[in-house]
Amino acid sequence: MHTEAWIQDAWDAAARKIAARTSRRIGAEFPHGSHDGRYQVTAPSYWTAGFWPGLLWLLYRDGGEPRLKQLAEACEERMDEVLADVGRLDHDMGFMWTLTSLANWQITGSAASARRAMTAASHLAGRFNINGRFIRAWNHPERTGWAIIDCLMNLPLLHWAAKHADDPRFRHIATAHAETAVRHFIRPDGSAHHIVRFDPETGERLGTLGGQGYADGSAWARGAAWAIYGAALSHAHTGRAEFRDASERAAAFFLANLPEDRIPYWDFRLPAAAQEQAPKDSSAAAIAASGLLDLAAAVHGDKQAEYREQATAILRSLTDRYRAGDDEEAILLHGTGNLPMGQNVDRPLIYGDFFYMEALAKLRGHSSFWSPQPQR
Ligand code: GLY
């Protein structure tokens, strides 16, 4: 496959930086947002724990440097204490063990990693609310009936488990949650609610919340990106057209509302006064670009070319205008983590770096760890 020179150059430059510099300082820790040029690290129980080992697996799969594999494995082992203490975990087990144990299993066939991924999938399936047909997001008692758009990204772990254990219950749960997300989260215009509240007893939809967005009814940019990518993945795992159509609706909204440089502000529906000083979210752009490449694979002809071109244009803008220099160990500048909480606003974010590299890897012909995999 022919790879345009700038794509190969962008991959090589970032891979060199991570291997020669960032990985030597971070080691087997769990970086999240970068401050003053250095990633700050978090606990192995935090939802972002998988992105650094996932990035290391992307690089190891490409270049085969044993040290990067060892670091990824050390992160995975450090997460064992969390896997054994399920009360510290929420629905983001999918993010966490897809990019550690499932990635390891895909690359090395590790039986220990498959056991970890099955354990995480079982805990995740245990969060399913049968009456509401959703996976419970968080653990706080008043949030028993809350589900969030991000959870679409946790479903591939369940699809993998269904195949690995030859047990369709995992697939049934993933598919039921995806149906709920398409029905209740993705609005007719393609924008997405961050949080939907259900009655945890009856399953009745009670209302929506703005969550990490500007307000209830606004359009949080990263949520819009999770909708594109997550729905495309549900289509890839089930073949059901309604999930592809939902991803297309989310993509149409995202692409139609991008500013001139194709990198969104942190929320697409900010009042004019708030927009003037608003930070961008480069992580939303990277996630959307990677998701658009999967969506391109789900359609044909002009549409396929269009999604691929749009994804490539976003990645080109990230590369030309948002890449960090030598004073920064991260790859991408200008991510926004959680603006309403004042966390990691206008900073590099590890998931921005991960999805940027994942998308470049796709343009170089590789698949992602979230995609359907042949069983071993
Ligand atoms: N919890 C996922 C996010 O912040 O996007």
Side-chain angles (χ1 to χ4, degrees), residues 252-266:
F253 175 84
F254 191 97
L255 294 171
N257 288 285
L258 288 176
E260 184 267 330
D261 72 355
R262 294 171 191 265
I263 310 304
Y265 294 96
W266 71 281

Side-chain angles (χ1 to χ4, degrees), residues 31-324:
H32 180 198
S34 176
H35 296 234
D36 300 326
R38 288 158 75 93
Y39 266 122
Q40 296 191 337
V41 298
T42 57
S45 56
Y46 200 56
W47 78 275
T48 54
F51 292 109
W52 173 241
L55 196 45
L56 295 170
W57 281 121
L58 286 179
L59 264 57
Y60 173 74
R61 183 178 68 176
D62 199 73
E65 187 180 331
R67 188 178 59 85
L68 301 182
K69 173 174 180 274
Q70 284 153 16
L71 287 178
E73 287 172 337
C75 287
E76 184 182 346
E77 282 164 25
R78 285 194 60 199
M79 289 164 65
D80 280 351
E81 50 128 348
V82 192
L83 200 56
D85 186 8
V86 68
R88 290 163 67 194
L89 289 169
D90 61 26
H91 71 139
D92 283 329
M93 287 176 268
F95 277 112
M96 294 166 73
W97 276 278
T98 299
L99 300 181
T100 51
S101 299
L102 201 45
N104 190 342
W105 176 83
Q106 287 173 28
I107 292 171
T108 74
S110 161
S113 293
R115 276 195 297 279
R116 291 183 180 108
M118 277 308 305
T119 304
S122 300
H123 291 326
L124 181 58
R127 300 181 73 84
F128 186 65
N129 182 307
I130 292 177
N131 287 355
R133 295 168 56 79
F134 66 86
I135 292 172
R136 175 183 178 175
W138 296 310
N139 298 341
H140 319 66
E142 73 282 8
R143 299 181 185 177
T144 312
W146 291 19
I148 69 173
I149 189 69
D150 330 20
C151 191
L152 282 171
M153 296 300 291
N154 293 318
L155 306 182
L157 182 66
L158 297 177
H159 286 292
W160 171 82
K163 281 199 210 157
H164 192 72
D166 196 17
D167 183 341
R169 290 174 307 152
F170 293 100
R171 187 176 71 250
H172 296 162
I173 289 173
T175 306
H177 179 92
E179 286 169 358
T180 301
V182 165
R183 182 157 169 229
H184 289 297
F185 284 75
I186 303 182
R187 303 178 182 115
D189 71 355
S191 66
H193 297 285
H194 184 197
I195 301 172
V196 179
R197 287 187 305 121
F198 298 91
D199 183 319
E201 287 290 350
T202 66
E204 182 196 352
R205 185 190 203 262
L206 298 176
T208 57
L209 293 164
Q212 283 172 237
Y214 178 78
D216 191 11
S218 74
W220 175 44
R222 201 161 58 254
W226 293 139
I228 298 171
Y229 201 167
L233 286 170
S234 281
H235 172 264
H237 283 279
T238 65
R240 284 176 51 171
E242 74 200 83
F243 299 140
R244 182 200 58 216
D245 296 348
S247 178
E248 288 204 75
R249 278 207 316 281
F253 175 84
F254 191 97
L255 294 171
N257 288 285
L258 288 176
E260 184 267 330
D261 72 355
R262 294 171 191 265
I263 310 304
Y265 294 96
W266 71 281
D267 191 305
F268 285 110
R269 285 203 187 108
L270 295 171
Q275 177 133 358
E276 249 165 49
Q277 300 299 324
K280 297 276 184 108
D281 182 9
S282 57
S283 79
I287 294 161
S290 198
L292 285 166
L293 291 172
D294 280 18
L295 182 56
V299 295
H300 303 284
D302 290 350
K303 264 191 188 177
Q304 183 170 71
E306 168 71 9
Y307 291 136
R308 205 175 157 84
E309 273 167 29
Q310 293 281 1
T312 306
I314 291 170
L315 291 167
R316 186 77 200 240
S317 180
L318 287 170
T319 302
D320 292 348
R321 308 183 199 200
Y322 288 76
R323 250 189 326 178

